[in-house]
C-alpha cells in the first residue's frame, strides 16, 4: 500500500489535472442528474480516468462529494482578511449569503445535507468538511485575538450567523437582504 | 368541480380513514425506500385506495409529503401552554430537540429540505408547512403578550433557537444537550 502512494502530488502535474477533471465531472453530473443518480464509474468515465484512480484518491463517493463541496465553497467565499474583526465578519457573511443564494447555492447546501444521511462514510465526509471550515473560521478569530479584539468562538458564530442564513435558504424563508445579514452580524458583535 | 367536493369530511368517517391509511403508507415508504423513490401510485396501492383519491385530495406528491411532515411534527411537539413565556419556550425547544434527534428526526428534517428543491409544487408545499408552524408560534407569543410579557417575533425565534438546532442535526455538529438548548433560549430571553 505505501508504495502505491509514493508518487506524491505535484501542483500543475497529472495529479492536479486529474483532480480538476474529476471535480468538473462531478459538478456536471450533479447539475444534470442530481445527487444519488450517478456512480463513481460515471464520474471516472466522464473525467477520462480509471475507476481505480478515483477510488484510490477519494475512497468513496461521499468523500469525493465532500471534497467538491469544500473546494467550491472555498473558491466562492474565501476567508477575508480586512484588518478588523467586524470587517472580516461582514465580508464573510455577505460572501456566504451571495454563495448560498447564487445559481448553485441551494444545490450545494442540499448536497451537504444529503451527506449527513444514513451511512458512516457520508457522515465522516461531512465531518471533514465542517472541521476544515471551522479551522478556517478559527484562523480568522485568532487574527482578531492577536490584534487585541474580542473574538467569538466558532460555535457562537455558526449559531448566530450561519445557521439562520442556511435555514432561511433551505426552508425558503425569504431573501437574504443586506439588512438581514448585517443584523445577524450585529447580534454577534 | 363543486359537486365533487359536496361530500365534506366527517371526522372518523371514510375521509379520516383514507387520510390515516395514506399517511401510514407514505411513512412506511419513506422508511423503506426514501424520498424520491416511490410514486403516488405506490402510495395509493399500499393504502388500498385509488390513485385519483390521492390526487384529488392532495394534488401532488409534494403537498402530500408536506401534509405528512406537518402532521408528524404536530403530533410530536404540540405547542405548549405552561402559563409563562419562558416555560413555553423551554418546553417547546426541548420538544423540538427531542423530535429532531429521535429515530425519524433526521429523516423528517431532510424531507423538509427535499421539499425546498427545484419545482414550484415542493416550494409551495413547504411554504404551507412553514406558514402553519409560524401561525402556531405566533399564537404562543400572542398569549404571552396578553399576559403582559414581552414576546419575541417569530423570525427572531427561528433565527436564535430553531435554526441552530436544525443545522446542528443536519450537519452533524454534535448532540443537542439540555445545556445547549437552554442556552439558545437564554440568548433569546
Amino acid at each position: 500500500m505505501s508504495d502505491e502512494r509514493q508518487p506524491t502530488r505535484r501542483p500543475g502535474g497529472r495529479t492536479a489535472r486529474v483532480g480538476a477533471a474529476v471535480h468538473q465531472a462531478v459538478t456536471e453530473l450533479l447539475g444534470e442528474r442530481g445527487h444519488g443518480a450517478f456512480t463513481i464509474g460515471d464520474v471516472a468515465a466522464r473525467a477520462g480516468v480509471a475507476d481505480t484512480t478515483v477510488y484510490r484518491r477519494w475512497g468513496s463517493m461521499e468523500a469525493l462529494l465532500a471534497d467538491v463541496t469544500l473546494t467550491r465553497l472555498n473558491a466562492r467565499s474565501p476567508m477575508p482578511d480586512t484588518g478588523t474583526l467586524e470587517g472580516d465578519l461582514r465580508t464573510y457573511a455577505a460572501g456566504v449569503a451571495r454563495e448560498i443564494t447564487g445559481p448553485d447555492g441551494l444545490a450545494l447546501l442540499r448536497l451537504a445535507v444529503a451527506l449527513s444521511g444514513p451511512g458512516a462514510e457520508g457522515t465522516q465526509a461531512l465531518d471533514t468538511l465542517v472541521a476544515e471550515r471551522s479551522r478556517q473560521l478559527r484562523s480568522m478569530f485568532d487574527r482578531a485575538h492577536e490584534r487585541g479584539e474580542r473574538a467569538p468562538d466558532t460555535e457562537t458564530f455558526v449559531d448566530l450567523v450561519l445557521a439562520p442564513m442556511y435555514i432561511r435558504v433551505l426552508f425558503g424563508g425569504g431573501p437574504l437582504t443586506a439588512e438581514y445579514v448585517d443584523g445577524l452580524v450585529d447580534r454577534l458583535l
Side-chain angles (χ1 to χ4, degrees), chain A:
Chain A
M1 283 300 278
S2 59
D3 284 338
E4 253 185 313
R5 302 199 174 199
Q6 277 299 326
T8 46
R9 305 187 186 187
R10 288 157 295 146
R14 184 178 137 72
T15 305
R17 282 198 309 276
V18 166
V22 168
H23 275 222
Q24 178 65 24
V26 170
T27 305
E28 286 174 15
L29 287 164
L30 277 173
E32 290 166 24
R33 305 190 198 170
H35 172 62
F38 57 91
T39 64
I40 286 206
D42 296 329
V43 172
R46 171 91 50 131
V49 302
D51 292 15
T52 47
T53 303
V54 178
Y55 279 110
R56 203 155 47 214
R57 179 141 157 200
W58 285 277
S60 70
M61 178 62 91
E62 288 74 16
L64 174 56
L65 289 172
D67 187 32
V68 170
T69 308
L70 186 65
T71 304
R72 291 177 64 182
L73 284 170
N74 282 338
R76 289 173 192 207
S77 58
M79 301 309 289
D81 189 3
T82 64
T84 67
L85 177 65
E86 181 173 348
D88 282 0
L89 289 172
R90 294 205 189 280
T91 306
Y92 180 69
V96 170
R98 215 172 24 244
E99 157 199 315
I100 62 179
T101 53
D104 302 321
L106 182 56
L108 214 62
L109 264 187
R110 296 175 73 215
L111 175 59
V113 170
L115 287 173
S116 75
E121 280 180 338
T123 309
Q124 201 182 357
L126 186 68
D127 285 350
T128 307
L129 196 159
V130 170
E132 169 63 17
R133 204 71 179 149
S134 299
R135 199 189 54 70
Q136 295 174 346
L137 282 169
R138 266 198 306 277
S139 78
M140 185 165 92
F141 298 148
D142 285 349
R143 281 199 308 273
H145 206 76
E146 281 160 20
R147 286 190 302 259
E149 296 183 278
R150 255 191 66 202
D153 59 32
T154 308
E155 186 183 282
T156 309
F157 178 75
V158 171
D159 285 353
L160 284 177
V161 180
L162 292 187
M165 291 200 283
Y166 285 175
I167 286 299
R168 207 167 240 245
V169 171
L170 282 171
F171 289 177
L176 300 181
T177 61
E179 291 73 33
Y180 175 73
V181 175
D182 270 331
L184 297 176
V185 176
D186 290 342
R187 208 178 261 157
L188 178 70
L189 291 170

